[in-house]
Structures are given as structure tokens and as C-alpha cells.
Amino acid sequence: MIASDLLTLTEAGLYCPAGDFHVDPWRPVPRAVITHAHSDHARQGSERYLTSHDGRHVLATRMVPDAVIDTLEYGESIDLNGVRVSLHPAGHILGSSQVRIEHRGRVCVASGDYKVDRDATCAPFELLRCHSFITESTFGLPVYRWPPQQEVMAAVNEWWLGNREAGRASVIFAYSLGKAQRLIAGLDPQIGPIYCHGAVERVNRDYRETGVSLPATAYASSRSARDYAGAMVVAPPSANGSPWLRRFGNCSTAFASGWMAIRGTRRRRAVDRGFVLSDHVDWPGLTGTVRESGAEQVFVTHGFTAACARWFGDQGLDAHVLPTRFEGEQDDRAEDAEQEPDAQEPDS
Ligand SMILES: [Zn+2]
Ligand SMILES: [Zn+2]
């Protein structure tokens, strides 16, 4: 049991017995509270979903068409069988939430995936005070520290400009939900046109419908005999090395990910450039957040769980590993393998 019986682990995942709801369940359940729409957090088949208002469009796209999705504004609370539940910005992707659960004076926060750096495509992370905090640890090792986003985007734009001057297309691989839109928001559209893989363009539409402003993008169709020299192309990692890439002719490739902080990862990716851009907290962000939450009890999930829990234990916290069925964005295949590279793309 976690946090004075507030949360426990069942076959379907994290469960609040008093409130009778699951958070990011692995299997279909009667009521699922969803932190965000990435596939390792939002599974199809539950009877009802509860997510943030900002997260409705992106979640609906990934659910079956008749899925029942209730929403809450950030900070708004509801009563589920005497348990007070509210959603607060996690700063990870559009609509991502921390779930604050309060019962008989005890507060538990399940943060989902989160990051504390600001970006233009989602509401900024909100620090919550709590007794128990459930943190991810995707990049929960001291080696992971992110350069400022502005610096990274300046380097991306410079790379693009250099490729344009050399008559090449720039193809950048990034998760289709979240990372791609964050990249696009930071691109300088003065340099040239921006084209997107169908999986990315679909999510762009959800972002725009939710009110996020992005530079103009167009679908990189196979049917038009367009010259892509000088253009920027944004595609999911699964498109790397696929026949889909041939239409761009002479091109330079790059990958945008927190994993690019490690040189060997860059080599394994077989891309020309790596840009360190993550939608997850880095080590200073993670440890700072746990400290400032005031939590005396911390549960570590998704990523470097054992090392991270041990570190918090050494700091005097009551720290535990919370097992998960998913490795999440540790390996991009989990997120983007479902996106068919070509056959099912919309044509526009
Ligand atoms: Zn995520
Ligand atoms: Zn995740």
C-alpha cells in the first residue's frame, strides 16, 4: 500500500481503493484517470476516462471513436467517492497532468511524465506540496542535464540553414506526439517550408484545435513530385531508414531526444546530428521537484528506478520503486511503432 492506503497496485496498475479509480491503468477499468495521451499511459478499452481539458483532443485521437472522456480544467477538483481529485500541469506534452489525490488530510501526487523547463506548446509544470510523490525517472541519473531549450533550437535552426545553403533537405526525427510540436514551435519559418510525416501532421491538428499556435506546416506527400531541397521535414523515429525517406533526395538527418546527451546513443541512431531536447525532467529538475514538494515518501517509476530510489533513500526519504509494465519513452519504439510510415497516412 502506498501513502496511507490512498493508492495501491492492482493487476491493472495504480489504484485508489477509496475513490475507486485507476491512474494510467494498463488494462481496461471502469474509471481511468489519465495523466497524458502517450501510449504507455493511455490504453484503450476503459469505460470512462478523466483527463485535463487541454488533453481532450490528443487523447480522443488515440482512443476508439466512442470513448467516454470527461475533462477537468487544471486546478478544478471533483469528488470521487469522498476522495478529492484534481489535475495540475505536468509540463510534459499538451494536456499532461499531475494527479493530486486528497483523502482525510493525506495528499498523494502521481506526476505521470513531467518536465520543469517551459515550452510554448503546453502549460508550465506546477509544483504541488504533498505527503507522497510518485515520480518518473526516465532520465533519473546525474549524467542527464539539459541545455536551455533556446540554445538547442538555435542550433537546430543553424543546422537547417546550413543544409539549405548546401541544397539539402533537413530531416529531424522526434516523437510524433509532443516532441515534434515543441520542435516545430521553435523552428524559424523564415528559413524555409516545414513538412511533416502524416503521424506528426495529425497531432499538429490536435494541437492547433486546442489553441496552440504553430508555424505553418504541410504534409510531406509521396504523390507530389516536390523538390524538398532546403526544407525542414519532421518525422517520427520509426521513419529513420525507411523507404519513406527516399522522397527527400539529398538530406541531412538528426534526432531530437534526451538520449542524445550520450554520445554512443547518437552513433547507434545512425543520424548526422543529435540535439538534446527532452520532454522529461533532467536530474536537477527531478531531485529539486521531489525536495520542493515536501514529500516524505517517494515512489520511483519508469526508468532508472532502483538507482534513483536508492539516492532518495540516502537523502532520508522513505523511497520505493513502483513497478510498471511499460518502459515508456526509454525506447522510442514503444511510442511510435504504432504509427504506420506510409500506407495509412492522410493525403492533404
Ligand atoms: Zn509521456
Ligand atoms: Zn511515459
Side-chain angles (χ1 to χ4, degrees):
M1 280 293 192
I2 300 170
S4 311
D5 302 351
L6 250 188
L7 288 169
T8 185
L9 215 48
T10 72
E11 289 281 277
L14 204 55
Y15 178 63
C16 176
D20 192 20
F21 60 89
H22 281 81
V23 177
D24 291 351
W26 309 324
R27 293 180 179 177
V29 297
R31 183 184 278 278
V33 179
I34 299 295
T35 61
H36 66 289
H38 277 150
S39 57
D40 54 328
H41 298 261
R43 316 291 295 175
Q44 297 187 348
S46 286
E47 283 169 38
R48 291 195 91 85
Y49 294 89
L50 177 67
T51 195
S52 71
H53 193 72
D54 283 0
R56 171 184 271 284
H57 277 300
V58 286
L59 182 63
T61 295
R62 297 201 157 196
M63 294 292 118
V64 295
D66 59 349
V68 180
I69 301 176
D70 306 314
T71 65
L72 282 178
E73 295 288 351
Y74 285 132
E76 184 188 354
S77 65
I78 53 161
D79 186 294
L80 295 176
N81 305 309
V83 176
R84 193 172 163 202
V85 177
S86 53
L87 304 176
H88 304 261
H92 172 59
I93 62 165
L94 180 63
S96 64
S97 303
Q98 306 173 74
V99 183
R100 185 184 183 278
I101 301 161
E102 183 179 345
H103 186 57
R104 294 183 182 148
R106 295 286 301 181
V107 176
C108 183
V109 171
S111 60
D113 293 335
Y114 67 101
K115 85 169 185 302
V116 293
D117 294 340
R118 285 180 177 241
D119 77 69
T121 58
C122 63
F125 179 83
E126 180 185 337
L127 183 78
L128 299 168
R129 302 279 299 177
C130 57
H131 299 99
S132 303
F133 189 73
I134 302 174
T135 184
E136 58 146 316
S137 61
T138 308
F139 295 103
L141 290 178
V143 67
Y144 294 105
R145 285 159 203 267
W146 310 144
Q149 160 161 306
Q150 244 182 329
E151 253 173 49
V152 178
M153 285 316 304
V156 171
N157 283 317
E158 202 178 300
W159 168 70
W160 180 14
L161 193 60
N163 288 330
R164 195 195 69 169
E165 282 163 1
R168 284 190 296 262
S170 304
V171 181
I172 193 159
F173 302 109
Y175 301 120
S176 56
L177 170 53
K179 183 71 62 60
Q181 290 70 37
R182 195 175 155 203
L183 261 173
I184 292 165
L187 290 174
D188 178 2
Q190 311 259 355
I191 298 174
I194 303 166
Y195 293 101
C196 295
H197 183 281
V200 171
E201 194 63 7
R202 265 197 299 275
V203 182
N204 291 349
R205 192 182 55 213
D206 290 332
Y207 267 59
R208 290 187 178 112
E209 279 173 7
T210 311
V212 176
S213 99
L214 298 172
T217 56
Y219 169 55
S221 166
S222 58
R223 292 178 200 171
S224 60
R226 211 181 257 137
D227 182 8
Y228 288 98
M232 172 64 83
V233 180
V234 184
S238 56
N240 192 6
S242 75
W244 183 84
L245 271 186
R246 286 192 204 121
R247 70 190 67 172
F248 306 110
N250 184 16
C251 65
S252 177
T253 55
F255 192 63
S257 164
W259 302 112
M260 292 296 109
I262 303 294
R263 199 179 286 273
T265 314
R266 197 148 65 226
R267 263 204 307 275
R268 280 202 299 282
R269 283 272 164 209
V271 289
D272 302 320
R273 285 290 297 272
F275 295 105
V276 182
L277 193 69
S278 177
D279 293 342
H280 299 264
V281 272
D282 63 0
W283 178 253
L286 199 172
T287 52
T289 298
V290 170
R291 190 175 54 242
E292 287 164 30
S293 74
E296 62 247 16
Q297 193 180 43
V298 57
F299 291 86
V300 185
T301 189
H302 277 266
F304 297 106
T305 50
C308 204
R310 205 177 313 121
W311 190 87
F312 283 120
D314 290 345
Q315 308 302 304
L317 296 182
D318 178 21
H320 308 266
V321 170
L322 183 67
T324 173
R325 253 183 62 189
F326 294 102
E327 280 311 308
E329 289 104 326
Q330 186 154 24
D331 187 324
D332 59 84
R333 279 170 299 186
E335 190 50 51
D336 273 305
E338 70 206 62
Q339 312 283 358
E340 287 295 321
D342 212 23
Q344 293 174 18
E345 278 179 1
D347 205 285
S348 57

